[in-house]
Amino acid sequence: MDNGASSYRRFLDGDDEGFVEIIKVYKDGLMLYLNNYVQNIHIAEDLMEDTFVRIVTKKPHFSGKSNFKTWLYAIGKNIAVDYLRKHSKISEVPADQLSVFLSDETDVLKEYLRDEQKILLHESLKKLNPEYAKVLYLIYFEDFNITETAIIIKKSYKQTENLVYRAKRALKSQLETEGFVYEEL
Amino acid sequence: MKSYNEIANSVFERREQYQIRQKKKRRILTRTLTPICCICLVALLAIGTWHGGLFEKAPIQTADDSVIQGEKDWYGPGEEVPQNNNFDDTQNDNGDKLGTIIYNNETYVQISTVSSDEITLDKKIGNGEDFEGFYKDSDVSSEIYTVKENPDLLAAKLDNGACVVLKRVTD
């Protein structure tokens, strides 16, 4: 599958199975990315589903200028931003539900990231500025380069490059305080 | 957390609901817009016809609209025609002087000019200059005849071949 573009083309031609493939491949990554915005894995799951519903109902044109994953994550990001705008008041999660949320998130992380070291790295991202966490997630966990990240977060290449640099520095110092070493930093 | 199959089913279900909602919206829109369009069309037609002057009454002519400025020359059905017009009935529409003859103390006024074949000339009663009236001082020489078909008529036969019919004026 060429990052989902051919599956999306099949879906536009009337084959729903094409879209099922897209959901299968991208659901976890998209959900974890959106979780960086809403800090609630269940809401992130709903937003991920909303992203797919938006694509299925509106059938937006995919030009192929960026890769399909970048395009999909950019749509997801817009939906998350819309959600945050509508729900500007941060709702407190009750303490009894918090443990459920955290265990669900850990399950998704384990299933999606598999690598224990990456899971620990993801945990450290949560302690960073949310802006840093978003770009670092895209770069370390979704393997996007700076150009693709810039497209998703709608910033210029230079701004994104600076943001990534500062985010990496912040993560490094965070990991050092936790006594954790990540060789890619 | 949902599996990808559950998510896919949920997504397609929501798509169907969305499509049903869209169809409903379209139906409502069509149902609302059709009568509105009809009303607009009728209104436009009415405005168009109104501007076209179909419903307007004939304009009332004023003195300013008449051929001769200041003189009203047309009267509507309900309007009374003034009686004191200085209308000279011895002048025709072209401003030419109408022919008159006084014969046997009766006045005869020109009513038409016809060809001499159209009437039957009866008895010559004299030449134009023999009678009081238009032909006495006229440059055109003429002969005056009675007309066989009508005793109230006289005919002035002009030297150019035309024939002027004059009718006796009765009170």
Side-chain angles (χ1 to χ4, degrees):
Chain A
M1 196 172 75
D2 55 346
N3 278 332
S6 62
S7 301
Y8 186 58
R9 222 171 294 126
R10 269 172 50 213
F11 162 70
L12 290 180
D13 291 339
D15 179 12
D16 283 353
E17 273 308 305
F19 205 77
V20 176
E21 281 173 17
I22 292 170
I23 293 174
K24 190 177 178 179
V25 174
Y26 293 114
K27 77 171 181 71
D28 288 334
L30 183 60
M31 190 184 353
L32 286 174
Y33 171 59
L34 298 177
N35 190 39
N36 289 317
Y37 284 86
V38 291
Q39 310 298 335
N40 181 323
I41 196 71
H42 288 165
I43 292 171
E45 188 185 23
D46 289 343
L47 294 178
M48 173 264 291
E49 198 177 301
D50 288 349
T51 308
F52 290 130
V53 170
R54 169 86 58 96
I55 294 170
V56 158
T57 51
K58 307 277 181 191
K59 294 183 178 171
H61 173 68
F62 171 60
S63 64
K65 283 178 189 168
S66 56
N67 76 41
F68 183 80
K69 192 177 173 183
T70 311
W71 180 73
L72 176 68
Y73 275 50
I75 295 173
K77 181 241 171 188
N78 290 339
I79 286 175
V81 170
D82 283 348
Y83 173 85
L84 291 174
R85 206 176 290 138
K86 281 178 195 162
H87 303 81
S88 51
K89 282 182 186 170
I90 298 164
S91 54
E92 291 291 325
V93 179
D96 54 334
Q97 282 184 27
L98 190 64
S99 60
V100 180
F101 280 13
L102 290 173
S103 87
D104 282 343
E105 191 180 335
T106 313
D107 289 345
V108 177
L109 280 171
K110 277 181 184 165
E111 197 184 327
Y112 187 61
L113 302 178
R114 294 171 198 277
D115 183 354
E116 191 63 31
Q117 204 181 22
K118 277 198 166 182
I119 293 169
L120 288 171
L121 183 65
H122 190 271
E123 289 301 312
S124 303
L125 288 187
K126 284 186 192 171
K127 293 163 190 160
L128 298 180
N129 175 331
E131 287 301 308
Y132 294 165
K134 284 170 202 166
V135 287
L136 289 179
Y137 175 83
L138 291 174
I139 285 175
Y140 287 128
F141 298 96
E142 297 296 342
D143 296 323
F144 285 118
N145 57 34
I146 304 242
T147 313
E148 289 165 336
T149 305
I151 291 170
I152 294 169
I153 64 171
K154 281 188 182 166
K155 284 188 190 293
S156 71
Y157 180 88
K158 197 75 195 161
Q159 283 175 315
T160 312
E161 197 177 39
N162 288 337
L163 190 61
V164 170
Y165 173 76
R166 279 184 273 125
K168 275 183 180 177
R169 239 180 25 188
L171 178 63
K172 198 174 178 181
S173 72
Q174 175 64 34
L175 290 174
E176 277 169 3
T177 56
E178 289 175 6
F180 181 76
V181 179
Y182 191 67
E183 62 226 14
E184 286 182 37
L185 279 173
Chain B
M1 306 305 280
K2 289 179 185 174
S3 71
Y4 80 88
N5 264 328
E6 287 171 328
I7 293 170
N9 287 337
S10 168
V11 166
F12 292 132
E13 205 174 292
R14 283 173 68 181
R15 175 181 64 178
E16 274 166 31
Q17 286 167 1
Y18 172 82
Q19 284 169 344
I20 290 167
R21 273 202 310 274
Q22 287 299 105
K23 268 186 194 169
K24 207 173 173 183
K25 264 186 199 170
R26 228 174 289 138
R27 226 179 15 242
I28 291 168
L29 205 70
T30 317
R31 226 181 285 162
T32 320
L33 279 182
T34 311
I36 290 173
C37 285
C38 288
I39 290 166
C40 287
L41 201 70
V42 169
L44 280 173
L45 278 173
I47 291 167
T49 320
W50 182 268
H51 281 285
L54 196 70
F55 301 132
E56 285 175 15
K57 289 178 183 171
I60 297 164
Q61 196 192 29
T62 62
D64 294 337
D65 302 329
S66 60
V67 178
I68 303 163
Q69 280 292 311
E71 274 185 32
K72 190 169 177 178
D73 54 10
W74 182 91
Y75 297 92
E79 289 181 276
E80 201 176 319
V81 182
Q83 296 299 313
N84 58 345
N85 274 358
N86 294 326
F87 181 69
D88 183 0
D89 57 4
T90 62
Q91 281 193 343
N92 67 6
D93 294 343
N94 302 324
D96 294 337
K97 191 84 173 166
L98 289 174
T100 51
I101 275 183
I102 309 227
Y103 170 61
N104 284 345
N105 293 326
E106 300 276 5
T107 305
Y108 289 79
V109 178
Q110 177 183 341
I111 54 167
S112 64
T113 305
V114 293
S115 156
S116 56
D117 304 336
E118 290 176 47
I119 51 168
T120 317
L121 301 179
D122 191 13
K123 195 172 69 179
K124 182 180 174 185
I125 55 172
N127 292 323
E129 58 264 25
D130 300 336
F131 300 94
E132 288 297 319
F134 173 75
Y135 295 101
K136 190 175 179 73
D137 304 319
S138 175
D139 298 335
V140 184
S141 56
S142 57
E143 294 172 338
I144 310 297
Y145 291 87
T146 56
V147 175
K148 249 185 187 171
E149 286 86 355
N150 192 335
D152 289 336
L153 296 180
L154 290 178
K157 191 179 177 187
L158 307 178
D159 55 3
N160 60 8
C163 212
V164 175
V165 179
L166 304 108
K167 191 181 180 189
R168 186 159 60 94
V169 178
T170 52
D171 293 330

